Amino acid sequence: QNSEAESEANGVVTNNSYDEPPLPAGFDLPSGRLYSLDIIPGDLYSEVPMSEGVKDALRDAFGEDLEGSEGEEATTGLESTSPESDAKGRKVDIFTDQTRWADMMNINSMLDLLKSNSGSVADRYLLRKANTEAGRNWNEEFQQILTLPDCIEKHTLLTEVTSDFAYAAVTYATIIISELCVPVERKTIKPASVGGIAGGLKYIVNGILFKVAADTELQENFWMYGGKSGPDEEAALRAMCSELAAAEAYWSQYLRDLHPPLMSVITFKGHGVIAMSVLPIDKSTLRYGSNDGGKTVLASDPQLNNLMERAAVGINLKSHSIGFSDVALSAPGDIEGHLGRDNRYYVIDFGRVMPPEAPPDSPEERSLDPRGVFYKLLRREFVAYRYRTDTGIRLSSDAFTPFDNMSNMVKAKENAAEVRQATNYLYDVVIPEYAGVQDSAFERFMRDALCLEEHIGEEQRKLWETYGYYGDYNAALASLQKFCNAHRFHGSGINCRHIGRVRRHVKSKALRSLFLTTCVARCVKRDIEAEMRRVMKQLQVPSDIFNALICDYINGNVLNICRTGKLELLSTAVEGRANKAGKYLSFWKERLLTLMKKNFKFALFPHEEVDDYDLRTDIDIRLLVTHVLDLLSVELHCQVYRDIFSTDKDMSGMCFTPSDIKSINPKVRNVYIC
């Protein structure tokens, strides 16, 4: 029994431990022969009719003749490829033969394709059971699906595998984050020893590699994103999201021989984790880029070099020499291109693919964020589409960093100047144009809504002109979600950190109010997440105290009412602000103004930056609270939402309790695969 348990733990299923009934057989298709597929251990078989297309795909996969003589059973040749089978003529449990794992995945993918229309959910589950019993090989399954002909079935399979991957990633990531500060010996999922210069703890679970977003200490008292100021976890979260966006940039180039992995980003309770399928690569398979911070740079495979250059042309990236070496890459110096053990080309570590936003000209402003070039990057939509279309100038991923042409400062300055020109183009052309488009769209939105709501009174009309809605819950959320959605900014190549710049160019007072609301909401969200991270480090055990923390923060800061008292010892940030000012108004007139100036430069007009200005003058607190909770993925009970919008705009008399919160949910973002 112990040996069987150990085998199962190592992903090996023995015949004795598998006691399932035979798989269903006999699917009615118009053509095709019956083939017996030995894909299940324990001498279980499924006879499935195969069309000529599926037989051709299997022939390509195995390089063997599947045709048998009439009346003679034809097989996939799994037995004949095993040494034991050749010598003794017996069948082999393919779970113990790791060399046949890819072949089994190929068969499973073909069978799923074959049965996607005619087989039941239970049938398809049984056919995949051999895969899941030993741990799912996400990468092989995914790559095999990508090789199938373009058809509805292929996209159905892609949807299934990506959805399954995201579900598994969220499940494990939630556990990893909840136990992030728990001592290693008490963790449910133990960290893995995986290389890399940047990033935090790494885990491998069920074929998925998890990397926790964390600022790394590169040398004593010097951090990857925070520099000498200490770790900057918020910057690490931004860099993690940039990696996902850059992976999408490579996917969008449709290069059949270049294989980015399956990826998802999960954020939960102030922490972030990036999940990717485990790939058949290691240090010895590196052919392009660097895995040691630029000390060793490779571009040793001509075919991979060509693929990366073709991708760079599409993304609008410029080839440049890396560091002090004479090796030129069309990507950042710390990207990695591998020739996997399955003879596929893989690309990983996309964190700095997009060029950085040029740092401020002023040395004083630069000193406030000296490491910003490593995580404040230009958007793919701007670099690859708008800027390439308007100027045709390719940009260096490593501009303003030590990776860019350290042995040729003339070229390094040229690359930096081009990126600064692109940054100014974003500020001076793209953002003003976007603001004008939003003004026109908002005017049409208001006009259409007022025509539909002719019965509204003068008070509601005044609310509409000031705050972008007329007092109705649905209208309020519609205006906020329509014009303050992150995808709306990203689609035009504008980072959300530039919402303040957009607000400066907007003419509509109501639209300005909406943009100010989303800026304040994002500041509050980041402050709450920072408090979550601090409390998690202090507790060092999984806890549901975060419901009380969120309520305490909103009540004591946003609503300026007495705190719940549940976090007297933990919530020192709120306590300190209360003691300093003697009242919670200091949050609006001190703390929030500081956060706004740090995170959303140019968001405030000169008259809004004076000491006695209260931001609540131009903000509806109901919209603000709803937006904050949405950004935190906090779900309230339905009655609480009704209570929020039944109060006045300042939410007078409203007080949140932990029981008002239904759940705090993880937020997942996946690579969009076209």
Side-chain angles (χ1 to χ4, degrees):
Q1 293 178 347
N2 291 335
S3 62
E4 290 182 8
E6 292 176 1
S7 297
E8 291 184 7
N10 293 323
V12 178
V13 180
T14 63
N15 291 344
N16 294 333
S17 65
Y18 192 98
D19 191 21
E20 292 286 347
L23 296 179
F27 296 93
D28 296 328
L29 291 179
S31 63
R33 292 189 51 181
L34 291 178
Y35 288 88
S36 177
L37 302 180
D38 185 16
I39 66 168
I40 303 295
D43 296 328
L44 301 180
Y45 298 94
S46 174
E47 293 191 344
V48 182
M50 293 188 178
S51 65
E52 289 300 324
V54 174
K55 287 192 289 184
D56 291 341
L58 287 174
R59 289 191 193 96
D60 293 340
F62 294 104
E64 298 171 9
D65 186 10
L66 299 182
E67 295 292 346
S69 60
E70 289 299 329
E72 180 181 341
E73 183 180 63
T75 69
T76 61
L78 280 177
E79 300 94 307
S80 63
T81 57
S82 170
E84 292 88 342
S85 176
D86 289 341
K88 301 180 181 180
R90 65 185 184 187
K91 294 171 184 171
V92 176
D93 182 353
I94 61 172
F95 281 103
T96 60
D97 184 359
Q98 295 300 317
T99 63
R100 304 302 295 168
W101 180 256
D103 295 340
M104 186 203 71
M105 292 301 305
N106 198 329
I107 294 176
N108 278 351
S109 298
M110 298 301 172
L111 287 174
D112 280 349
L113 172 63
L114 180 66
K115 303 181 67 173
S116 59
N117 290 327
S118 59
S120 68
V121 174
D123 295 337
R124 295 164 72 182
Y125 167 77
L126 287 173
L127 283 171
R128 188 169 286 174
K129 188 171 181 62
N131 178 1
T132 57
E133 286 286 349
R136 195 160 177 181
N137 191 328
W138 298 98
N139 177 67
E140 186 63 32
E141 182 175 350
F142 179 59
Q143 302 299 340
Q144 290 289 350
I145 293 174
L146 290 177
T147 63
L148 298 177
D150 194 18
C151 57
I152 294 177
E153 288 81 2
K154 174 181 177 178
H155 293 285
T156 300
L157 289 173
L158 279 175
T159 301
E160 287 183 359
V161 71
T162 53
S163 297
D164 287 353
F165 178 84
Y167 179 83
V170 170
T171 301
Y172 295 124
T174 303
I175 298 172
I176 290 170
I177 292 174
S178 298
E179 297 183 338
L180 202 55
C181 298
V182 174
V184 174
E185 62 273 11
R186 300 211 308 265
K187 290 180 184 288
T188 304
I189 301 174
K190 301 294 192 293
S193 178
V194 181
I197 298 297
L201 292 174
K202 298 176 175 66
Y203 302 77
I204 296 179
V205 191
N206 194 24
I208 304 176
L209 170 66
F210 295 89
K211 297 189 293 184
V212 178
D215 202 355
T216 305
E217 191 174 15
L218 300 178
Q219 57 190 48
E220 187 176 359
N221 298 323
F222 190 84
W223 302 80
M224 176 67 191
Y225 303 115
K228 296 179 181 179
S229 303
D232 190 340
E233 304 300 340
E234 179 64 35
L237 283 172
R238 296 189 204 178
M240 178 187 69
C241 295
S242 297
E243 184 162 358
L244 188 76
E248 287 185 340
Y250 277 92
W251 273 115
S252 66
Q253 302 312 305
Y254 303 104
L255 295 176
R256 183 180 180 87
D257 295 327
L258 200 60
H259 303 274
L262 273 172
M263 292 178 67
S264 294
V265 165
I266 301 97
T267 51
F268 184 55
K269 295 182 179 179
H271 290 277
V273 170
I274 188 163
M276 59 179 284
S277 54
V278 172
L279 304 177
I281 61 175
D282 53 37
K283 292 183 179 180
S284 67
T285 62
L286 183 67
R287 299 291 185 273
Y288 191 92
S290 175
N291 59 5
D292 56 6
K295 296 177 183 178
T296 305
V297 185
L298 298 178
S300 57
D301 189 311
Q303 184 176 351
L304 180 56
N305 296 347
N306 178 260
L307 288 170
M308 295 298 292
E309 173 61 22
R310 288 167 58 193
V313 171
I315 305 173
N316 202 34
L317 301 180
K318 183 179 184 180
S319 176
H320 59 284
S321 297
I322 304 300
F324 290 99
S325 73
D326 58 355
V327 178
L329 301 181
S330 302
D334 51 1
I335 201 169
E336 293 184 27
H338 292 259
L339 176 59
R341 292 187 295 273
D342 57 358
N343 289 322
R344 295 190 185 101
Y345 289 114
Y346 293 100
V347 186
I348 60 171
D349 288 355
F350 307 95
R352 295 192 313 104
V353 165
M354 303 315 300
E357 189 174 308
D361 292 322
S362 167
E364 294 181 359
E365 291 186 44
R366 267 202 313 273
S367 65
L368 298 176
D369 189 13
R371 305 285 290 178
V373 293
F374 290 101
Y375 65 91
K376 290 183 177 178
L377 310 180
L378 298 172
R379 291 289 308 178
R380 169 176 67 99
E381 295 85 351
F382 170 72
V383 174
Y385 303 117
R386 179 62 189 271
Y387 194 67
R388 183 180 67 171
T389 301
D390 291 355
T391 68
I393 299 175
R394 295 169 64 179
L395 304 175
S396 170
S397 300
D398 287 323
F400 296 102
T401 74
F403 284 97
D404 190 8
N405 285 291
M406 293 300 292
S407 59
N408 187 344
M409 296 308 296
V410 174
K411 291 293 295 182
K413 290 180 179 179
E414 177 185 322
N415 293 342
E418 290 172 345
V419 170
R420 185 170 296 281
Q421 178 184 340
T423 302
N424 291 334
Y425 190 84
L426 174 68
Y427 295 164
D428 301 335
V429 177
V430 176
I431 288 178
E433 283 184 7
Y434 177 81
V437 170
Q438 297 312 298
D439 262 328
S440 300
F442 189 73
E443 182 180 353
R444 292 193 301 270
F445 183 74
M446 288 178 61
R447 185 171 58 248
D448 294 344
L450 290 175
C451 290
L452 293 174
E453 302 291 342
E454 296 178 354
H455 62 280
I456 67 174
E458 187 61 31
E459 182 178 350
Q460 286 78 13
R461 189 176 296 273
K462 185 176 180 181
L463 278 173
W464 180 267
E465 294 174 353
T466 304
Y467 300 110
Y469 70 95
Y470 49 84
D472 178 75
Y473 169 76
N474 292 325
L477 288 183
S479 59
L480 182 70
Q481 293 170 355
K482 181 176 178 64
F483 292 96
C484 298
N485 191 304
H487 296 294
R488 196 177 181 94
F489 293 98
H490 292 168
S492 297
I494 301 173
N495 304 84
C496 285
R497 62 177 174 271
H498 295 312
I499 296 177
R501 292 180 182 271
V502 176
R503 183 174 184 258
R504 280 291 187 99
H505 292 281
V506 165
K507 298 178 181 179
S508 167
K509 182 179 179 181
L511 192 54
R512 285 182 183 176
S513 174
L514 289 177
F515 286 158
L516 181 61
T517 299
T518 195
C519 288
V520 173
R522 290 176 182 275
C523 288
V524 171
K525 173 243 186 186
R526 292 174 185 176
D527 213 25
I528 291 176
E529 287 182 335
E531 189 74 357
M532 285 179 167
R533 291 191 290 269
R534 191 191 64 79
V535 169
M536 188 177 289
K537 289 179 182 178
Q538 185 172 344
L539 290 176
Q540 294 191 352
V541 292
S543 173
D544 64 350
I545 199 172
F546 298 102
N547 286 15
L549 186 151
I550 293 171
C551 295
D552 184 82
Y553 188 101
I554 293 177
N555 291 336
N557 291 315
V558 179
L559 302 183
N560 295 328
I561 60 176
C562 294
R563 300 190 297 123
T564 61
K566 294 178 185 263
L567 299 174
E568 290 293 334
L569 297 178
L570 294 174
S571 194
T572 56
V574 178
E575 186 75 26
R577 288 195 291 274
N579 292 338
K580 178 180 178 181
K583 57 183 180 179
Y584 294 100
L585 287 174
S586 61
F587 172 77
W588 285 95
K589 294 188 176 181
E590 295 179 13
R591 173 65 175 168
L592 194 54
L593 285 176
T594 301
L595 291 172
M596 287 286 289
K597 292 175 183 178
K598 175 185 176 182
N599 295 307
F600 296 99
K601 194 176 180 181
F602 304 113
L604 300 177
F605 289 89
H607 74 277
E608 297 171 334
E609 294 181 342
V610 296
D611 293 337
D612 61 344
Y613 179 75
D614 194 334
L615 286 172
R616 291 172 295 179
T617 304
D618 294 321
I619 288 178
D620 187 310
I621 303 300
R622 296 173 295 184
L623 279 181
L624 173 64
V625 170
T626 305
H627 196 19
V628 168
L629 296 175
D630 180 59
L631 291 172
L632 290 169
S633 291
V634 173
E635 184 179 358
L636 302 178
H637 293 284
C638 294
Q639 182 57 47
V640 182
Y641 287 111
R642 288 192 288 267
D643 292 343
I644 290 175
F645 279 86
S646 64
T647 63
D648 57 27
K649 80 176 189 69
D650 294 325
M651 292 183 66
S652 303
M654 187 79 181
C655 180
F656 289 95
T657 64
S659 60
D660 292 335
I661 296 179
K662 186 177 181 180
S663 62
I664 304 176
N665 303 312
K667 182 178 291 186
V668 58
R669 283 168 282 188
N670 304 311
V671 172
Y672 176 71
I673 302 172
C674 303

